[in-house]
Amino acid sequence: MAGLSEGQTPVLEIDGTLNSNDGNSRGNKGKDKAVVLVGEENSNSNIDTQNQQGGSGGGSEREMPSMHRSGSRPQLDLSKAAIQGNFEVKDPTILLPNQSDDISHLALDIGGSLIKLVYFSRHEDQSIDDKRKKTIKERLGISNGNRRSYPILGGRLHFVKFETTKISECLDFIHSKQLHRGGVDSCHWNPGVQANDNAVIKATGGGAYKFADLFKERLGVSLDKEDEMDCLVAGANFLLKAIRHEAFTHMEGQKEFVQIDTNDLFPYLLVNIGSGVSMIKVDGDGKFERVSGTNVGGGTYWGLGRLLTKCKSFDELLELSQRGDNGTIDMLVGDIYGGMDYSKIGLSASTIASSFGKTISDKKELADYRPEDISLSLLRMISYNIGQISYLNALRFGLKRIFFGGFFIRGHAYTMDTISFAVQFWSKGEAQAMFLRHEGFLGALGAFMSYEKHGLDDLMVHQLVERFPMGAPYTGGRIHGPPLGDLNEKASEARVCLLLLEMPLPLIMSFSTLFLLDPRLIFILVQMQISWMEKFVLKGTEITAPVPMAPSGTTGLGGFEVPLSKGSTLRSDASALNVGVLHLVPTLEVFPLLADPKMYEPNTIDLADRSELEYWFTVLSEHLPDLVDKAVASEGGTDDAKRRGDAFARAFSAHLARLMEEPAAYGKLGLANLLELREECLREFQFLDAYRSIKQRENEASLAVLPDLLVELDSMSEETRLLMLIEGVLAANIFDWGSRACVDLYHKGTIIEIYRMSRNKMQRPWRVDDFDAFKERMLGSGDNKPRPHKRALLFVDNSGADVVLGMLPLARELLRRGTEVVLVANSLPALNDITAMELPDIVAEAAKHCDILRRAAEAGGLLVDAMINTLDGSKENSPSVPLMVVENGCGSPCIDLRQVSSELAAAAKNADLIILEGMGRALHTNFNARFKCEALKLAMVKNQRLAEKLIKGNIYDCVCRYEPAR
């Protein structure tokens, strides 16, 4: 098992990532995708598969936790619980060493048409031994105690749909992921563990009764039936309170997200449109009343449509309506008034006076009418009536807010437009129809929340991060499900042979053992070898502008279709990829120094402007080939890396195509969201740090000249030095691999040559120049010497010269003046940005040449184990203010201060100066942000359009924006 250090136990997980037991999975990627612990020398990690040893280790076998259920109320043993992981290895998780009960992770809503699943997966990675984090927690007083109530800390909520007629596929999916046993990731899917007769899954909907025996027969589990209305309301309340961009309006094809004030959420009317329609007045959590309803709903549309058009499915009927003209069937106001409006009572000529009214006078038979026109007329008739009845009930109870959901809507643009028009018409614009992005999953989510200690109640909006993995649009993350229909049996057998040839001996032995004991299990494992990525690569060359979709005849198991031309047109599953995977990260917090968190908007560029959207999409597309080259090179340029690089390029292009077609597909879209989506897509294809080698080279080159720079700075007067430091930050900020202009510069000179050129062009006044105001605050005027800042937060940007020759010298100056300095860096790599994991090594190297940095780094716990040789060969013991490093909680070139790490939030509480550096953090986001304390925003603009739009300037103009404390 190459790449593992001594004492590490490799764990081959289904997702294809090779993780060792020290949790440091970076760089240890493999192709194997079986849940098998492979025994190593001197490790106690062998699996006992029905008393057959699966490895060659000489130690005693590790005792596997017993797996049993305790009825429908699973309990948690939180004794000796500990937070595991950090943002460098994605979201943190919690270790429950004494937990023996299998926590249920699955809930279902089994309707007459669709089965909706909500399931939870624990986080796969574990923490590495990060002494920096331990020191920071101790210094900042960060405690884990308040998080012990979160049994699902660090996990993910996934949303999946299946057609009820294909319930066998649903059962196969549950079995393949072992969701009925608590999930593959909860117990490494030990095949020796049998399902318990007392295992219980929460379920709602009529199918929970109809299919109870089938679940018992196939999976050995009982369905604990939950009340449908309770589940609907619980699911809706959770989504409206916890998801920032959950609710939206839809008028004339335009989707606009509505920010809900959770303190003013209740009361509201929830209209659930399934086969029939229920209207529920919701007054609070667990407080609701069904106040009305109608038997004319989705079932009416489907039933009449099937009789009149011979359509075989609901989706086919909806698709027909896209091409329909209801004017050939409906009697309109204009038909009655000779093409004129009836303006006296506000009716336009196109208003429907009587649905199907024209068929009375037409001497036609059913066969003479187009099915498309019939479908559209039916859709309008039912939608208008539901909208009207809903408004009348809202009026009855004085409710201004109406939320619509249910099977009938399904993200269909025309349906939402029709309902919205009815509500607006009858309310004369005083009420709005609103829709929910997760509308199809309200019941399943509510059933999930019926588990005791599910941990969702106390989560807040900033603790949920929604991501949109390409690999499995509905299942979220990776597909481990039933066999893929487009790959034949012989291809599967051939792949097994190839995989076995590539596997190490212990793994082959484990597979052989598994095969002999459980042929069904090995068959499922074999199918898992054919990953969604491989399917993507195979099918990707056959499609243009691919958009992830549920293939025809299935839902939730991945596949691709060519997008239709109109943004408002129907797809085979209209909400595909609109629902992402919810990452539950209770350690995220709102940045406490925001002046007004409710009014804060991170994005500076408004992508609602179509021209802006097209421009930035073009920029990202043009940068893609260079990014792929760097990503492939970071993985050694292997064939596997090239294959993944090609797949990433097509996957990210598919995301862009989807968003160009419908910008609001993933929620409210900003430039920061686009850049984060790109980084997430890279990580999904296992490119964890595409610029790793470039960053290392630039750091080494910059550190080599740092001592000379510090000597030069120390020879200057205080005033001259401060100007040189700010100029140095602006000049060094030119190094940005995310900028096309800067990439071109890299090809023309070395890092030091570019830096010198940039310094030579530093001439004041800058385009935004508040340096004099900042200088007066720092140095004062005359005999008026201001007090130094207590603590400064420096949000660093790029590796190399940017951080080494720009921000570190500025940090040193603040330390010299008695200010505590906290360097704030990314939790995960993004482009060539420095990370919190990388910074301590850079500080340690810089400290070899500077006693100020050395003493501050020691005081801040950054040099615990470092051997530092100072300039004079001795250590000074004089006290120093600390230099600390914290992670910001994100892995993007930008930062949304509504979701930052607990480390950063704790460090901010005593800070009185914020320095935001770089285009991503100071211009693309947060240029308009206002803070409770002083703020300095520093950046070189490396994009002509951004320069024109934001500061009415040109490329390479500089921004030095100082904002006094509020």
Side-chain angles (χ1 to χ4, degrees), residues 17 66 95 192 248 268 294 360 447 673 861 870 901 938 946 950 963:
T17 302
S66 61
L95 177 66
F248 62 91
Y268 66 84
T294 171
I360 299 172
N673 309 105
T870 60
S901 71
L938 301 170
L946 184 66
L950 204 58
E963 299 164 357

Side-chain angles (χ1 to χ4, degrees), residues 770-786:
D770 295 335
F771 173 76
D772 290 337
F774 180 66
K775 180 183 71 173
E776 183 173 349
R777 168 62 185 89
M778 291 287 289
L779 307 180
S781 57
D783 295 330
N784 179 25
K785 294 296 182 183

Side-chain angles (χ1 to χ4, degrees), residues 329-340:
I329 291 179
D330 294 338
M331 183 180 292
L332 309 181
V333 169
D335 296 326
I336 300 173
Y337 291 94
M340 303 291 290

Side-chain angles (χ1 to χ4, degrees), residues 360-372:
I360 299 172
S361 56
D362 287 346
K363 295 181 179 179
K364 295 180 180 179
E365 300 298 326
L366 178 60
D368 297 323
Y369 292 99
R370 296 173 64 236
E372 293 88 345

